[in-house]
Amino acid sequence: DWTYYQTAEWRYEWFKGRKDNNLILKDSQRYTENGDTLTIRGATESDQDQFWCRGQRDKRPESSQSSSVYLSVKDLPTSTLTVTPDSLVFTGERVSLKCVINSDHSDWRYEWYKGSTKVSESYTVNTYTFTIERSETSDADQYTCKGQRDGRPNSSQSSSVYLSVKDLKPKPELTSDPAGAALTGNTVTLICHMNLSPGWDFYWNKHTLNSETKTQTNSYRVKIDSVSDGGQYWCRAGRGKPVYYTQYSDALWVNVTAEREHDMGIYIYIYIYIYIYINVVLCFPQ
């Protein structure tokens, strides 16, 4: 069943494994025998083993057996592709993709693909980073990076990530806790509700102020010291550099009642109760 090849006088047989437990190699999709040469296409770790050959001919000496050589096979260096922001992207946002090749070599050239097409000059490519300055819905696609170099290993494995782009600026909803009117001396917590991933900062506005207040959480505490602390409030969120902002929320009106006015209402209520008790209950006993 062996396959022989005639090269001058010698016919060659190729073996993989130890000489006491070996596999005879024949032409296949991955192995090609051509006389005194054996070619392995697309070597994998499963090809790592001892290889040796044996020659046969019709006259003496009739055979010759080579020493073995050990073939060591390592996977190509892996690459890791990350995207910032690492979640759903909105039109107008700046998007950065970073390709890191896990290798001791630093002389890699980077190739970037959108789908199956190499990226065009309309994108900013700086070696291992790839930037979309203002994303559009047409930028949504599978992005792939891989490395090439002149020495061995001459390439890396590729890595891919899918970029989703949504054509709608999100709009948060602003609520207060407690809801309704607030008394001077109390604290109201404003909450900016937004169904988005982590990584956003929050910006707070009041109709009487010219600047925004920034927080890393979606809540903002307002100390009600006077009636002037009431009024209209808005919130919005932002992320990235330069900052990409959401829409503003609808305005929330915080009504403030002075504590003295509140106490006066209680006094009036007590006075009316006493007046009725004296003039009705005591003056007209049953």
Side-chain angles (χ1 to χ4, degrees), residues 77-87 95-102 110-115 117 119 124-132 139 141-147 156-164:
T78 59
S79 60
T80 303
L81 180 56
T82 58
V83 58
T84 304
D86 61 350
S87 58
V95 181
S96 293
L97 294 94
K98 183 178 180 180
C99 186
V100 177
I101 297 176
N102 304 308
Y110 293 81
E111 295 181 353
W112 292 90
Y113 295 86
K114 177 187 176 187
T117 306
V119 297
T124 303
V125 178
N126 181 18
T127 61
Y128 60 87
T129 60
F130 166 64
T131 303
I132 304 172
D139 293 317
D141 210 324
Q142 190 86 14
Y143 288 84
T144 303
C145 75
K146 66 180 299 185
S156 74
Q157 299 182 48
S158 61
S159 180
S160 299
V161 66
Y162 189 83
L163 177 65
S164 298

Side-chain angles (χ1 to χ4, degrees), residues 190 203-214 220-224 226 228-236 248 253:
L190 303 180
Y203 299 82
W204 307 88
N205 290 266
K206 187 174 184 289
H207 72 290
T208 58
L209 300 178
N210 295 324
S211 61
E212 293 182 312
T213 300
K214 176 183 174 182
Y220 177 61
R221 292 168 61 87
V222 180
K223 183 69 168 64
I224 306 298
S226 65
S228 63
D229 290 318
Q232 287 184 317
Y233 287 83
W234 297 266
C235 75
R236 63 175 175 171
Y248 280 105
W253 187 273

Side-chain angles (χ1 to χ4, degrees), residues 10-25:
W10 292 98
R11 302 180 297 273
Y12 293 88
E13 301 165 340
W14 289 92
F15 302 86
K16 175 186 176 186
R18 300 194 314 268
K19 293 188 178 181
D20 59 346
N21 183 19
N22 56 68
L23 173 68
I24 302 172
L25 300 178

Side-chain angles (χ1 to χ4, degrees), residues 276-286:
I276 294 175
Y277 181 80
I278 293 174
N279 289 278
V280 177
V281 177
L282 295 182
C283 295
F284 301 98
Q286 294 182 355

